[in-house]
Amino acid sequence: AQSVSQHNHHVILSEAASLELGCNYSYGGTVNLFWYVQYPGQHLQLLLKYFSGDPLVKGIKGFEAEFIKSKFSFNLRKPSVQWSDTAEYFCAVKRTDRGSTLGRLYFGRGTQLTVWP
Amino acid sequence: EAQVTQNPRYLITVTGKKLTVTCSQNMNHEYMSWYRQDPGLGLRQIYYSMNVEVTDKGDVPEGYKVSRKEKRNFPLILESPSPNQTSLYFCASSFRWGEKNIQYFGAGTRLSVL
């Protein structure tokens, strides 16, 4: 079965610290990759996505992620976090080959990021 | 404004009392989906629909029903709710089901079953 692993359940940082959240998936075929963010009490919002091409993708609010196919990873990074980045972050994977489970997004369990001012 | 609208946002009910959570999108999207979010488990797909009258089970369909009679609406039905269905529910939609399609999420419905 398809699985998505997020290595950290809860990350606590001070403002201006650098952030890296790990995400690995278990499927060997072609995929679309996503990071969603959920601010307290809000719905999921797309942070960034990878479909094809340059494996380093940039998203909103200074976030970026790098797709490393050989490692089945799509880690999220930000050089300097802010208090307003406090939220829960979800990695999601969609298989894109024919015959795969159509359109389904598989989510990791989420990483709660807390940034202290 | 393009959006996915869920109602109600909050619901408290008792075991066995049938309920429906509505979901509507105004983007003419073909693909719609329901997820439940539980602490430590992330989001798990309940049901999805690739188009009108086309629905299929996700990972956790037990205890739920859906229908897709119109393109814009995808209600989630709990015929006989139980306490283990207490959760935060999200509806999502995307233009198509295939690659390079982004799913947009509703604001969520927090359900408590007593």
Side-chain angles (χ1 to χ4, degrees), chain B residues 14-98:
Chain B
V14 295
T15 299
K17 186 176 181 182
K18 180 179 177 180
L19 66 92
T20 299
V21 183
T22 65
C23 175
S24 178
Q25 49 90 8
N26 63 359
M27 297 171 278
N28 201 36
H29 284 173
E30 290 186 355
Y31 184 91
M32 298 186 74
S33 180
W34 276 103
Y35 296 86
R36 59 178 288 172
Q37 182 183 14
D38 302 290
L41 297 178
L43 279 81
R44 295 176 293 167
Q45 191 179 51
I46 303 170
Y47 268 94
Y48 65 94
S49 169
M50 292 170 60
N51 213 326
V52 176
E53 301 290 6
V54 182
T55 63
D56 206 350
K57 297 177 181 179
D59 295 316
V60 288
E62 295 77 21
Y64 304 94
K65 284 175 55 178
V66 293
S67 69
R68 188 91 182 273
K69 293 183 169 51
E70 306 166 281
K71 199 171 188 179
R72 63 182 293 129
N73 296 323
F74 190 45
L76 180 69
I77 303 155
L78 285 72
E79 294 272 2
S80 183
S82 62
N84 65 11
Q85 292 178 298
T86 293
S87 187
L88 179 58
Y89 292 86
F90 288 101
C91 179
S93 74
S94 64
F95 184 59
R96 294 268 167 84
W97 57 265

Side-chain angles (χ1 to χ4, degrees), chain A residues 13 17-23 35 47-48 54-68 71 73-81 85 89 113:
Chain A
L13 296 172
S18 64
L19 170 71
E20 180 160 4
L21 301 182
C23 173
W35 275 97
L47 202 54
L48 49 76
D54 189 344
L56 184 63
V57 293
K58 294 191 184 299
I60 60 172
K61 304 186 181 186
F63 286 91
E64 64 179 31
E66 184 175 14
F67 170 49
I68 303 179
K71 295 185 178 180
S73 70
F74 189 55
N75 292 354
L76 181 71
R77 299 195 292 249
K78 185 171 184 178
S80 176
V81 295
D85 293 325
Y89 293 80
L113 172 66

